[in-house]
Amino acid sequence: MALPETLEAERRGEIAILRLARPDKRNALNDPTVVGIGAFFAGLHPDIKVVVLDAVGDNFSAGLDLSELSERSTFEGIAHSMMWHRVFEQIELGRVPVVAVLKGAVVGGGIELAAAAHIRVAERSAYYALPEGQRGIFVGGGAAVRVPRLIGTARMADMMLTGRVYGAEEGQALGISHYLVDNGQGLGKALELAGKIAANSPVTNFAVIHALPRIAEANPREGFLMEALMAAIAQGSEEAKERLRAFLEKRAKKVTEF
Ligand code: 1HE
C-alpha cells in the first residue's frame, strides 16, 4: 500500500508497526498523514493481529498541522473534522487491537490519535496538552468523546481552558497511559504487550474492541444481554474449548502475580 512520506510501516511477524515520520515538524498531522493512517488500517494484511503505533523522533505528535488550518472555510472545517473521525474510528473499531507508544509532545490531535488506540505506553518524556483554547479553535479529532472517558470532562475542560500540561507521571495516574516506562523503552514494551495480545483468541480480541466499549456505554439492560451473547459466542468457539481443556489438563499457563 502506498503511504505518504510522513508515515513508515514495518512488519514483525503478526505485528505491524506504523510510525509517524515527520520529526522535523514534531509529527504534526497534515491531511496526507491522516488519510495515510486510514489507508494503512484499511489495507492491513489479514495475518496481522496487532498494530503498534509509534513515532520517529522525540515526540509522538504535535497535533493538527496548524499551517493547513487558516485556508479552510467553516463548512470545509466540518468535513475535515469528520475525515479525522472516520480515520480514527478505523483505529478504535478496526480489526485488530492497537498499542500506541507515547513520548515527548502528545498534544492536541496527538492526544486524539492516542486516545483512539486501545493500549497506551508512555515514556517518561511524554507530556499532554490541549492547546486548542490558546489557538482559538476546538478539538475536532474525537477528543471531546474519547478524552473524557479517560480523564473525565472536568479535567479535559481544565486542559482546554487554562492550557494545563500534564507530565507523564500525572498522565499515568490519571489514566491517559496504561504503562509508564523509561525513555527509549516504549517500543520494546509495546511489542511485548502486542505479543501477548496476538496470542489471545481472535474472538476475545474482537469482543474487547467491539463489544466491551458498546456494552459499557449501553443501557445496563441491553448491556447485560449483549454481554451474555458475546460470552456465549466466545465460549462456543473451538479455540476457547481447546484453551479451557489445556488449562484443565495443566498444559496452559497459570495466572501469575507478576
Ligand atoms: C508545527 C506544529 C503543528 C510544531 N503544526 N507545524 N498543536 C499545537 O498547538 C502545538 C504546536 N507546537 C508546539 O507547541 C511545539 O512545536 C511543541 C511543544 C510541540 C514542540 O516544541 P519544539 O521546541 O520541540 O519544536 P518547535 O521548534 O516549536 O517546532 C519544530 C517545527 O515543527 C517548527 O517548524 P520550522 O519549520 O520552524 O522548523 C514548527 O512550526 C513545527 N510544528 N508543531 C504545524 N502543530 C482535528 S483538530 C486537532 C486540533 C489540534 O491538534 S490543535 C493543537 C495543535
Side-chain angles (χ1 to χ4, degrees), residues 24-26 28 62 64-66 84 108-109 112 127 131-132 135 140-141:
D24 52 324
K25 295 289 182 187
R26 306 305 181 256
L64 175 72
D65 187 324
L66 293 169
W84 278 50
E112 300 187 296
Y127 59 92
E132 283 82 349
R135 311 278 178 244

Side-chain angles (χ1 to χ4, degrees), residues 198-217:
N200 292 339
S201 154
V203 184
T204 305
N205 284 349
F206 166 83
V208 172
I209 296 178
H210 289 277
L212 173 63
R214 289 181 168 97
I215 293 169
E217 283 161 25

Side-chain angles (χ1 to χ4, degrees), residues 161-201:
L161 291 173
T162 69
R164 182 170 186 166
V165 179
Y166 284 119
E169 265 95 27
E170 290 171 305
Q172 173 72 16
L174 294 178
I176 299 177
S177 60
H178 298 75
Y179 297 86
L180 180 61
V181 297
D182 286 336
N183 294 339
Q185 307 295 309
L187 179 61
K189 184 69 185 174
L191 289 170
E192 176 201 323
L193 298 169
K196 293 184 186 187
I197 295 167
N200 292 339
S201 154

